[in-house]
Amino acid sequence: QVQLVQSGGGSVQPGGSLRLSCAASGFMFRIAVMDWYRQAPGQQRELVASITSGGATNYADSVKGRFTISRDNVKNTVYLAMNSLKPEDTAVYYCHTKRPNDYWGRGTQVTVSS
């Protein structure tokens, strides 16, 4: 079955960096569009970044220039490198794919605070 196992995250001061990983299994990862979403307390879940099978990327305006999504089709893993983190980046981050149903990772807390 489809599994998305997340790792990374944690707490960091403003301006710091973190990297999230999502190891995928149970489907043909190399042809899948992979996404990262986030959900802050009291907010709707929002799309942060996407990457196609060919490596094309798309970002929310709020993270452009600071976050980088990438993938390793040998390791079946998608990454989200987050730099210049701000307090408003604080949220639970979720890995996602649609195959064709929606599949989600369990979520990883990212807290940006001084």
Side-chain angles (χ1 to χ4, degrees), residues 3 5 9 12 25 27-28 38-39 41-42 45-46 48 67-69 72 76 78 82 86 93 95 98 103 110:
Q3 286 193 314
V5 179
V12 66
S25 61
F27 63 101
M28 290 187 70
R38 68 184 180 187
Q39 188 167 20
R45 195 170 294 190
E46 63 172 351
V48 175
F67 289 14
T68 302
I69 188 171
D72 185 330
N76 286 1
V78 61
M82 305 181 289
K86 304 175 181 180
Y93 285 70
C95 179
K98 192 172 181 71
Y103 293 95
V110 170

Side-chain angles (χ1 to χ4, degrees), residues 27-32 52-54 71 73 76:
F27 63 101
M28 290 187 70
F29 177 83
R30 60 183 176 85
I31 66 170
T52 68
S53 58
R71 66 191 297 156
N73 288 340
N76 286 1

Side-chain angles (χ1 to χ4, degrees), residues 3-6 10 13 15 20 27 32 41 45 58 90 93 99 107:
Q3 286 193 314
L4 300 172
V5 179
Q6 297 182 219
Q13 292 186 340
L20 306 181
F27 63 101
R45 195 170 294 190
N58 185 55
T90 296
Y93 285 70
R99 306 300 306 154

Side-chain angles (χ1 to χ4, degrees), residues 31-42:
I31 66 170
V33 175
M34 300 298 299
D35 315 294
W36 287 99
Y37 282 75
R38 68 184 180 187
Q39 188 167 20

Side-chain angles (χ1 to χ4, degrees), residues 35-100:
D35 315 294
W36 287 99
Y37 282 75
R38 68 184 180 187
Q39 188 167 20
Q43 304 289 324
Q44 289 191 333
R45 195 170 294 190
E46 63 172 351
L47 179 64
V48 175
S50 295
I51 186 165
T52 68
S53 58
T57 57
N58 185 55
Y59 297 93
D61 288 343
S62 58
V63 307
K64 280 181 182 176
R66 301 188 298 121
F67 289 14
T68 302
I69 188 171
S70 61
R71 66 191 297 156
D72 185 330
N73 288 340
V74 174
K75 295 182 178 180
N76 286 1
T77 300
V78 61
Y79 305 97
L80 185 68
M82 305 181 289
N83 297 314
S84 302
L85 282 161
K86 304 175 181 180
E88 51 263 44
D89 295 317
T90 296
V92 178
Y93 285 70
Y94 297 92
C95 179
H96 168 266
T97 192
K98 192 172 181 71
R99 306 300 306 154

